Amino acid sequence: MLNAQNNLVFNQVLNFNITTSDTATVPEGKVWKIERAQETIIADKQDVNYGAGSIGGYYYGTDNNNALWFSEGTTIRSNANFMSLSILEFDVVPTSTGTGSGTGGGGVSSDGLVFEEAMSITLTRTQVLNSNASLFGEITIPEGKILKIFNVSTYALLSSGDTQSEGNGMIYIGDELFSPSLNNNIALIRFIPSGTYTVKLDWGTSSVPNRIVVNALLYSIP
């Protein structure tokens, strides 16, 4: 019989970029769950309880949908010139402290969040910036909520009333970059914290889609 000494309690979402010259270290008393890293992470962590410490250990990117977990004191860097990261940060709390409770519509998920609802957000083009870029309005995530985006698609609503699927270009939700699902067989999951985010499409051709559909799960913080 095993008795856990600590709980992992969700703290915050972290979204940032690192390069080969940058490092980021998991703070004391924290654990990082890296949900999105499109390049290989190099991790350094010594003074471990089991085996040998990691010096320059390679952890391949999360585009295969496998999250990466790192304990406090682990320093990470990128093997590429540019890498964006989407991270869930947890507090390590003794079991006697408890984890709190949420008021959402479901139980606490494996990410330490309380499920609220599944969402399909349709955005229409609001402004043409230039021949390659258009704005598609905003997405607002309420205070105390987190949006888990797992699919983004682009469509053209034709004058005939038919819908044409697209699959190119680059979609920005705030500073987070997404590739349309039809052009990418692997879902790049991102966690987006509360706030208001401008949605922009960089297309690069004369025929620009006029619909963006974002499929996501809304969670509340316990």
Side-chain angles (χ1 to χ4, degrees), residues 43-139:
D44 300 312
K45 173 65 185 291
Q46 301 185 49
D47 300 325
V48 296
N49 293 328
Y50 306 100
S54 174
I55 301 177
Y58 272 62
Y59 296 83
Y60 294 102
T62 59
D63 282 3
N64 59 359
N65 291 331
N66 293 323
L68 299 172
W69 292 83
F70 292 103
S71 58
E72 65 177 13
T74 303
T75 297
I76 64 172
R77 46 199 167 95
S78 173
N79 75 327
N81 291 329
F82 178 87
M83 177 169 64
S84 61
L85 296 166
S86 181
I87 300 172
L88 298 182
E89 182 179 80
F90 296 85
D91 295 321
V92 180
V93 179
T95 53
S96 59
T97 303
T99 61
S101 60
T103 59
V108 177
S109 72
S110 60
D111 300 311
L113 305 171
V114 179
F115 174 75
E116 291 282 345
E117 62 176 312
M119 305 180 70
S120 180
I121 305 168
T122 299
L123 301 162
T124 58
R125 189 167 56 199
T126 58
Q127 182 182 353
V128 177
L129 298 177
N130 52 54
S131 60
N132 297 329
S134 297
L135 293 180
F136 282 75
E138 298 177 335
I139 291 178

Side-chain angles (χ1 to χ4, degrees), residues 4 10 15 18 27 52 73 80-81 88 104 113 127 132 139-140 146 160 164 174 183 195 197 205 209 211 215 220 222:
F10 175 79
N15 293 313
I18 61 174
N81 291 329
L88 298 182
L113 305 171
Q127 182 182 353
N132 297 329
I139 291 178
T140 298
I146 288 174
S160 63
Q164 176 181 327
N183 194 38
Y197 302 89
T205 65
R211 296 287 189 277
N215 291 299
S220 62

Side-chain angles (χ1 to χ4, degrees), residues 180-204:
S181 58
L182 290 179
N183 194 38
N184 189 347
N185 293 324
I186 302 173
L188 301 180
I189 296 173
R190 319 285 175 80
F191 284 82
I192 310 294
S194 60
T196 298
Y197 302 89
T198 299
V199 181
K200 184 179 78 169
L201 173 65
D202 282 340
W203 188 248

